[in-house]
Amino acid sequence: MTNRQRYDWETIRAEYEAGSSMGRLSEKHGVDKAAISRRAKKEAWTQDVVGAVDRVVDAKVNGIVNTADPEKKAAAIRAAADRKVAVINRHREEWERHHELIVEAVTNKDFDTAKLAKITAETLKIRQEAERKAWGIRDVDAQPDGGALTVRILRVSGE
């Protein structure tokens, strides 16, 4: 085997995370045990099956079947991102239409349209939250504390 030979690191990692020892992996795949150890440390491999299953599920859901081929992987990632972008854009359009409904209700002082706007907002919120969860879409600006506001009052000495 040459130094330039490509190893199937995805398979090696999956087998390690499923419980195989580094020694067994070295024998099976012809990779130096130290190389496996370095890679495992660098990529934080664990023998936690839940993490391995989650990675494989995510790859399959997003169409990333052959992750050893960088071009196929990049294309699958772009396609998965495009699908999520379409969902996010649709959500934004729905809120824009909802905004127009509110403007109409306020402008015309129309109580029934205002009630419809309230019901529509609640429905959109519930459906979109569920849809974002199903698509694995996270709000990048979401705060880990759930959006709690922390206020710190600073006192200047001498006051």
Side-chain angles (χ1 to χ4, degrees):
M1 291 191 183
T2 65
N3 289 340
R4 296 179 120 352
Q5 181 176 354
R6 289 182 62 177
Y7 298 108
D8 185 357
W9 287 107
E10 291 290 325
T11 299
I12 295 168
R13 179 177 182 165
E15 290 176 8
Y16 174 79
E17 289 180 338
S20 188
S21 71
M22 288 188 191
R24 173 72 184 109
L25 293 170
S26 176
E27 291 172 16
K28 182 177 178 182
H29 296 280
V31 182
D32 184 58
K33 186 176 171 184
I36 296 172
S37 180
R38 283 190 302 274
R39 184 99 175 213
K41 185 175 182 176
K42 177 182 173 188
E43 296 178 2
W45 295 1
T46 64
Q47 290 192 324
D48 174 13
V49 178
V50 173
V53 170
D54 287 346
R55 279 189 324 99
V56 172
V57 167
D58 191 44
K60 285 184 177 186
V61 164
N62 289 307
I64 305 170
V65 182
N66 183 3
T67 55
D69 182 342
E71 290 177 13
K72 284 185 179 181
K73 183 175 184 177
I77 289 170
R78 282 192 303 276
D82 288 345
R83 289 190 298 272
K84 287 184 179 184
V85 166
V87 171
I88 292 168
N89 285 338
R90 182 173 42 79
H91 287 180
R92 289 178 177 174
E93 290 167 8
E94 290 169 349
W95 282 109
E96 184 58 37
R97 288 193 303 271
H98 179 264
H99 175 72
E100 292 166 6
L101 186 61
I102 293 171
V103 170
E104 177 187 334
V106 171
T107 301
N108 298 330
K109 298 180 182 178
D110 183 348
F111 183 71
D112 288 333
T113 303
K115 284 194 316 189
L116 177 62
K118 181 182 187 310
I119 293 166
T120 303
E122 291 168 355
T123 303
L124 280 174
K125 179 181 182 283
I126 292 166
R127 186 181 54 76
Q128 287 184 359
E129 283 177 356
E131 203 168 22
R132 284 175 175 262
K133 186 173 184 179
W135 279 90
I137 298 171
R138 295 184 322 266
D139 292 324
V140 292
D141 60 346
Q143 297 174 358
D145 62 359
L149 177 63
T150 303
V151 177
R152 180 179 294 163
I153 300 173
L154 301 174
R155 297 180 187 224
V156 180
S157 61
E159 287 188 7

